[in-house]
Amino acid sequence: MKKTLFIIFLLTLGCTFTLFAQDAKKEAETIKTKMDAFSSKTGTITKFIDTKLPNLKTSYSSPETRIRKISNTNISAYFYQIEKEGKYSNNTASIEYSDLLEVIKALSVLKVDESKDIALNPDYLENKFVTVDGFQIGYFVSKGKSTWYIKLEKYGSDNTVFINDVNIVEAAFTEAKNKIEELKK
């Protein structure tokens, strides 16, 4: 009887350890942005070429902007970058060319929706466009007034830029698109 109880005890103890045992640590899979996926290819030479654009005029800061061309072997990609200096680090949005085209289209739709959303007079309303990489542009309506913003990165803090005049941002995006098309030639 003692042997049976002892065996049951060992089996129960073994099952308990098995339940609480952790699997071997797997490398955490992080979701890569288009910039990360293109610039982190191993076994190839990667070249970065920046072309500065005028700073973006926003409510509380003046983020730097540039076009970044990344070349690997025979392939190149172009990104519009907006970099906001933070207290402890910088936040950078890297908008791939095809995403930039989508942002420009979405921005024109958002501009049309803005007056309709203000007329609704909601307690709070938010209307935004988000790229695959987590870049956001949009506005929120509160107390009968809209406030435009850009969220540079998907995660983190101090990565939001508030906009006084959305037309200035739209012009900056269009200028970036035109510069990329010029550089592609």
Side-chain angles (χ1 to χ4, degrees):
M1 178 73 175
K2 286 184 181 181
K3 283 184 182 180
T4 307
L5 287 175
F6 183 71
I7 292 173
I8 292 173
F9 173 75
L10 286 179
L11 287 174
T12 305
L13 189 62
C15 289
T16 303
F17 284 129
T18 304
L19 290 174
F20 290 108
Q22 294 182 3
D23 294 336
K25 287 189 177 181
K26 296 178 184 175
E27 188 176 321
E29 285 188 39
T30 57
I31 299 171
K32 287 188 175 185
T33 63
K34 290 180 181 181
M35 173 70 105
D36 292 338
F38 198 84
S39 64
S40 65
K41 293 183 180 178
T42 56
T44 63
I45 296 173
T46 304
K47 183 185 288 189
F48 298 86
I49 302 172
D50 287 348
T51 304
K52 288 191 176 268
L53 294 175
N55 288 357
L56 192 61
K57 291 175 179 37
T58 64
S59 296
Y60 306 109
S61 61
S62 190
E64 293 180 5
T65 66
R66 65 183 163 265
I67 302 300
R68 175 162 282 180
K69 177 184 178 182
I70 304 175
S71 300
N72 285 336
T73 317
N74 297 328
I75 305 168
S76 294
Y78 294 85
F79 295 85
Y80 176 50
Q81 292 190 313
I82 305 169
E83 184 174 15
K84 177 189 174 201
E85 188 175 324
K87 191 172 184 177
Y88 300 107
S89 66
N90 293 350
N91 291 293
T92 305
S94 296
I95 309 165
E96 194 268 330
Y97 175 69
S98 63
D99 289 340
L100 180 61
L101 298 176
E102 294 303 313
V103 168
I104 291 169
K105 287 179 198 173
L107 189 54
S108 59
V109 172
L110 288 169
K111 285 174 61 177
V112 170
D113 288 351
E114 180 185 20
S115 58
K116 296 174 195 171
D117 290 341
I118 291 171
L120 294 172
N121 198 25
D123 290 330
Y124 180 82
L125 179 146
E126 188 170 356
N127 196 1
K128 64 185 175 181
F129 177 77
V130 183
T131 67
V132 173
D133 290 340
F135 173 82
Q136 296 180 24
I137 185 162
Y139 60 87
F140 60 89
V141 177
S142 181
K143 298 180 184 175
K145 183 181 173 217
S146 67
T147 304
W148 284 86
Y149 68 90
I150 294 174
K151 189 170 178 184
L152 300 175
E153 297 174 348
K154 194 175 204 172
Y155 305 107
S157 60
D158 196 30
N159 61 0
T160 303
V161 176
F162 293 96
I163 304 165
N164 285 332
D165 185 357
V166 72
N167 294 317
I168 291 173
V169 174
E170 185 176 38
F173 288 167
T174 302
E175 181 182 4
K177 175 187 86 73
N178 294 339
K179 189 64 174 180
I180 290 172
E181 289 170 353
E182 177 187 319
L183 293 170
K184 281 183 166 187
K185 293 180 183 177

